[in-house]
Amino acid sequence: MANEIPTRPEETLDGTVVYNVPFPENLADLARMAPLIIKHPYHIDYIHSYGQDSPFFAGLANRRLLGTRCKACGSTFATPRLSCMQCGADCEWIELPKEGRVHCFTVCHFGSEEFLPECPFVLALIEFEGVNTLFLTRLMGVDPTRPSLEWIGMRVKAKFRRLSRFKPTDVWFVPADR
Ligand SMILES: [Zn+2]
C-alpha cells in the first residue's frame, strides 16, 4: 500500500458548521430530503462492576493470566467463567500458561472507536496446553498487512501493559521468539 498514489485528500470530520437548513414550502417534499448528518461528541463516565470477573483483571495488573476450572468435571476455561459451560457446577481460579499457540486469527480493518487508530490490527484465538477453550486477544509483533497462514500454530507469549487499565487489552500476545 505504501507505494499507492493518493487520488483524493484524507477524509476528516472537520468542515463547515451549519446552523440551519433549507426547508420546503410543501411538506410533501420532505419525503425526498437527504438525511441530516451531525457531529456529536459525547462523554460518559461509567461506574462499572466487574463482579465475579474481578480476579481476572487483578491478575492482568499483576502480569498473571487467569482462567477457571470446573470443580466437578474439570473442564478448563481460558476466558474465565465461574459456572461451568459443560455441567453448570462452580469453577475455581487457575493460572494459565503465559505461552500458547495461535489457533486462528483475523485482520481487522475497522473497529470500535478506541481501536480505529490502530487499524489494521490482528485478533487471534490462542490455545493453551491442557485448556479446553480459546482466548481472544490481540496478536502484535506481526505485520497485519502481510497475514500468513504460517501464523496458525505459531508459539506465542503473553505481554502485559505495565500500567494496568483493568481492560481486556491489558494483555496481548507476540511471537514467542520475540
Ligand atoms: Zn463442569
Side-chain angles (χ1 to χ4, degrees), residues 67-77 81-94 132:
T68 57
R69 176 170 49 220
C70 176
K71 293 178 183 176
C73 75
S75 294
T76 47
F77 304 106
R81 44 257 300 151
L82 271 293
S83 297
C84 178
M85 290 200 299
Q86 298 296 332
C87 73
D90 288 346
C91 293
E92 59 191 353
W93 290 98
I94 57 170
N132 296 117

Side-chain angles (χ1 to χ4, degrees), residues 37-60:
I37 298 171
I38 66 167
K39 181 179 174 181
H40 178 66
Y42 69 91
H43 176 92
I44 300 173
D45 287 320
Y46 285 105
I47 304 297
H48 174 73
S49 171
Y50 280 141
Q52 64 182 12
D53 292 332
S54 298
F56 173 75
F57 295 94
L60 296 184

Side-chain angles (χ1 to χ4, degrees), residues 56 63-69 76-80 93-100 126-135 158 160 173:
F56 173 75
R63 309 176 68 78
R64 313 273 288 272
L65 191 58
L66 299 184
T68 57
R69 176 170 49 220
T76 47
F77 304 106
T79 301
W93 290 98
I94 57 170
E95 184 162 6
L96 298 177
K98 289 198 175 79
E99 281 200 17
I126 308 300
E127 56 187 52
F128 300 101
E129 187 77 30
V131 178
N132 296 117
T133 64
L134 304 166
F135 184 70
F160 299 88
F173 278 72

Side-chain angles (χ1 to χ4, degrees), residues 114-115 117 147:
E114 180 172 348
F115 299 110

Side-chain angles (χ1 to χ4, degrees), residues 93-114:
W93 290 98
I94 57 170
E95 184 162 6
L96 298 177
K98 289 198 175 79
E99 281 200 17
R101 291 184 183 276
V102 174
H103 181 80
C104 60
F105 70 90
T106 187
V107 179
C108 298
H109 292 269
F110 196 72
S112 58
E113 197 171 2
E114 180 172 348

